[in-house]
Amino acid sequence: AARIGWSVIQNAKLAPNDSVITTQDPFETGSVGAKLARRSGIPLHVQLHTDIGTPFFKRNFLNRIRLVMAKRVFKGAKAIRTVSERTRSSLPADVRAKTSVLPVFIDLDEVKKASVVADLRAKYPEFKKIALMASRITAEKDMGTALRAFAAALRKIPDAGLVIGGAGPKLDELKALASRLGIAERVMFEPWADHDTLTSYMKTCDAFVLSSLFEGYGMALLEAHASGATIVSTDVGIAPLLADSRAIVPPRSPEALAEAVVLALSGEAHNKPYQYPYPSKAAYLAAHAKDIERALL
């Protein structure tokens, strides 16, 4: 990657006074960007899309190596961009001083105007209330905790159902857990869906549930919020800005999550109003360009 990057710099005749190297993370790609910046003199702009301040991030051995990489990359960066204030506030003071907050772009008008092409209520009429989860099925999403929470919630709302959409290495393990908990008939697994289908799922469920151990931002939460689904989430990303405080719970707490799911499905928990900062994609791109240009100052 460094060799390819150096070739691009040479072929395009990029210069330190008119160019910026930006990397999507401060880890593997950040290390490549830092190497190119040192060699070329072109200033480095680093983006951070995940919450590296949470202790859950550090439990993974590879992530602990990445934290060492990030420390070195941040030191050589002229400007840093995070996607939430939560992530920025977890950084050391010297790093935070050159860090901005620039949320990711989501076309919420498109989400709100989208027609329903896949109706969960029609597909699962046996469920009087529907909770939806949709994400990569990986360890950091901690969907096992959500299944245990839903099993407890069914004691109070026995006619509810949980629909899980997505794919990932933990899928078979999750299906086996649903069987062991005795809730396989109340939990339906849907394959990875395109954006239109997923938006339809969000528009036709009662609650959208996120059980992640950490999130940098939470695009799915914001899309679910725009779709009208009641948000239930662990205290990650921008979740506290979107949902009733009673629907925000600590990670790895099935009891608290079960209570929040019951509140949401029974209509007792509600979303907070939220003002998304960008009225259009053009406005976002302008803000993004301006943020990258900070590295030239």
Side-chain angles (χ1 to χ4, degrees):
R3 286 196 299 269
I4 293 171
W6 181 243
S7 176
V8 169
I9 290 170
Q10 289 185 306
N11 292 340
K13 295 182 172 58
L14 304 182
N17 63 342
D18 64 5
S19 304
V20 174
I21 296 169
T22 182
T23 68
Q24 69 176 14
D25 63 59
F27 313 127
E28 289 91 332
T29 56
S31 295
V32 172
K35 183 175 182 178
L36 290 171
R38 288 193 299 269
R39 185 175 182 182
S40 66
I42 295 174
L44 178 65
H45 174 272
V46 176
Q47 302 180 50
L48 179 61
H49 290 261
T50 192
D51 184 1
I52 62 175
T54 172
F56 292 107
F57 183 85
K58 303 169 188 176
R59 290 184 179 183
N60 180 289
F61 177 71
L62 180 57
N63 284 349
R64 290 199 292 273
I65 295 175
R66 286 174 172 150
L67 287 174
V68 175
M69 299 168 76
K71 186 176 181 180
R72 295 172 179 171
V73 171
F74 284 150
K75 186 176 181 180
K78 294 293 184 181
I80 301 164
R81 170 257 182 123
T82 62
V83 292
S84 69
E85 182 56 42
R86 178 198 295 269
T87 302
R88 180 182 178 275
S89 64
S90 70
L91 298 173
D94 59 328
V95 177
R96 194 164 60 244
K98 52 185 176 181
T99 301
S100 67
V101 177
L102 185 74
V104 295
F105 176 72
I106 303 173
D107 192 338
L108 294 183
D109 284 338
E110 181 181 329
V111 172
K112 293 173 182 177
K113 295 174 183 176
S115 57
V116 173
V117 297
D119 190 335
L120 287 180
R121 299 183 194 283
K123 189 168 187 177
Y124 300 109
E126 68 272 27
F127 298 156
K128 301 305 179 185
K129 296 289 184 178
I130 298 176
L132 171 67
M133 300 186 75
S135 72
R136 295 174 294 109
I137 303 177
T138 56
E140 67 268 20
K141 299 301 181 181
D142 195 27
M143 296 172 88
T145 290
L147 281 187
R148 293 182 178 89
F150 188 68
L154 282 173
R155 299 180 194 130
K156 294 185 178 180
I157 309 180
D159 55 1
L162 173 64
V163 177
I164 297 176
K170 295 290 184 178
L171 177 58
D172 290 341
E173 183 179 314
L174 206 61
K175 289 180 177 180
L177 178 59
S179 296
R180 291 200 303 274
L181 292 170
I183 59 173
E185 293 184 356
R186 311 305 297 181
V187 180
M188 298 298 156
F189 290 88
E190 291 285 338
W192 191 268
D194 59 37
H195 189 262
D196 290 343
T197 300
L198 180 56
T199 299
S200 293
Y201 287 170
M202 291 176 173
K203 286 177 177 281
T204 56
C205 71
D206 295 287
F208 183 84
V209 181
L210 185 80
S211 56
S212 294
L213 299 176
F214 55 88
E215 292 281 344
Y217 186 62
M219 288 180 63
L221 288 174
L222 192 52
E223 291 183 334
H225 185 278
S227 298
T230 301
I231 302 299
V232 176
S233 177
T234 46
D235 188 3
V236 296
I238 62 167
L241 302 180
L242 304 176
D244 188 323
S245 60
R246 295 176 299 170
I248 302 297
V249 302
R252 289 254 166 96
S253 180
E255 299 83 4
L257 188 58
E259 184 177 346
V261 169
V262 170
L263 288 173
L265 293 181
S266 62
E268 295 182 42
H270 304 281
N271 291 343
K272 293 178 180 178
Y274 178 73
Q275 183 62 50
Y276 183 64
Y278 308 115
S280 66
K281 187 173 184 178
Y284 167 76
L285 291 175
H288 197 3
K290 187 175 181 180
D291 189 75
I292 291 174
E293 288 170 357
R294 289 188 302 121
L296 290 169
L297 301 178

